[in-house]
Amino acid sequence: MIVVEWMTLDGVVQAPGAAEDTSGGFKYGGWHLRYFDDTSRQWVVENLTEAGGFLLGRRTYESFAAHWPNAPEEEQPLAQPLNTLPKYVASTTLTEPLVWQNSTVLQGDIAEAVGALKQEDGEDLHVIGSTELVQTLIEHDLVDEFRLMIDPVVVGGGKRIFRDDGALRPLRLVDSQVTTTGAILAT
């Protein structure tokens, strides 16, 4: 299970691409776009194309399902894997059948359902966005790897994937690169 996130230096992952999530009065939607360069674009494409499928929270699923099936031609390198690979959705409110092709709602306890997915043979599942889902995965020790694009910006508040829970979770940096905009790509 690989978590792929765009993050501010102060750990915020909310609304990186646009004002797609203004909950909690968040007013800095789109903070990430100025840090996108050729290196980070390649990083995003590589992450999407090497995934065996995607695990998404309900809000991220709904946002993606509204955009990617009808993405313009210039976004097809991103849209193709998102549209064709399996998508597993953590939701207590969505029901099947889901409208976006190859999408399945996870049933029952999310930690148990994800644990069962991890036991299946196949390629890695990537989690994108999905703040609450990622927090649950971290809490249940279900994340194998974080791939973070950490932008040199502080927004002072917003949704984070790392809870303020007092738990010590040592990590090991296995790869890093700095983009031309000063963002850090860290695995």
Side-chain angles (χ1 to χ4, degrees):
M1 191 68 52
I2 298 172
V3 171
V4 181
E5 297 283 353
W6 298 339
M7 181 181 290
T8 65
L9 191 58
D10 57 341
V12 174
V13 297
Q14 186 172 356
E20 70 261 21
D21 180 1
T22 58
S23 63
F26 190 74
K27 58 185 175 188
Y28 298 116
W31 53 264
H32 171 71
L33 297 178
R34 76 186 88 184
Y35 301 104
F36 225 47
D37 68 356
D38 290 340
T39 302
S40 57
R41 274 186 198 81
Q42 183 62 35
W43 180 81
V44 170
V45 170
E46 286 172 5
N47 276 299
L48 291 175
T49 57
E50 74 179 38
F54 302 96
L55 176 61
L56 305 169
R58 179 191 53 84
R59 285 184 294 273
T60 300
Y61 169 82
E62 289 176 335
S63 173
F64 281 20
H67 176 77
W68 291 112
N70 303 305
E73 186 60 36
E74 64 270 9
E75 293 180 350
Q76 286 307 305
L78 304 175
Q80 195 276 332
L82 287 166
N83 287 328
T84 59
L85 291 171
K87 290 161 285 292
Y88 302 94
V89 184
S91 174
T92 57
T93 57
L94 293 177
T95 56
E96 304 226 359
L98 296 176
V99 295
W100 195 12
Q101 69 181 10
N102 300 323
S103 297
T104 304
V105 176
L106 294 176
Q107 301 297 318
D109 179 79
I110 292 302
E112 289 177 16
V114 171
L117 279 176
K118 285 182 58 134
Q119 297 305 312
E120 293 179 8
D121 288 335
E123 297 177 53
D124 294 326
L125 292 178
H126 288 209
V127 187
I128 303 169
S130 310
T131 310
E132 290 178 28
L133 172 60
V134 172
Q135 290 175 344
T136 299
L137 298 176
I138 292 169
E139 179 182 328
H140 292 279
D141 198 29
L142 293 168
V143 177
D144 299 299
E145 184 173 293
F146 292 98
R147 295 182 185 171
L148 308 173
M149 181 171 172
I150 306 164
D151 294 338
V153 63
V154 174
V155 296
K159 293 179 182 177
R160 293 172 166 82
I161 59 170
F162 299 112
R163 287 187 176 149
D164 208 4
D165 61 5
L168 177 65
R169 294 180 177 94
L171 303 174
R172 181 175 53 88
L173 183 66
V174 296
D175 188 40
S176 66
Q177 181 178 10
V178 178
T179 70
T180 62
T181 62
I184 301 167
L185 305 175
T187 302

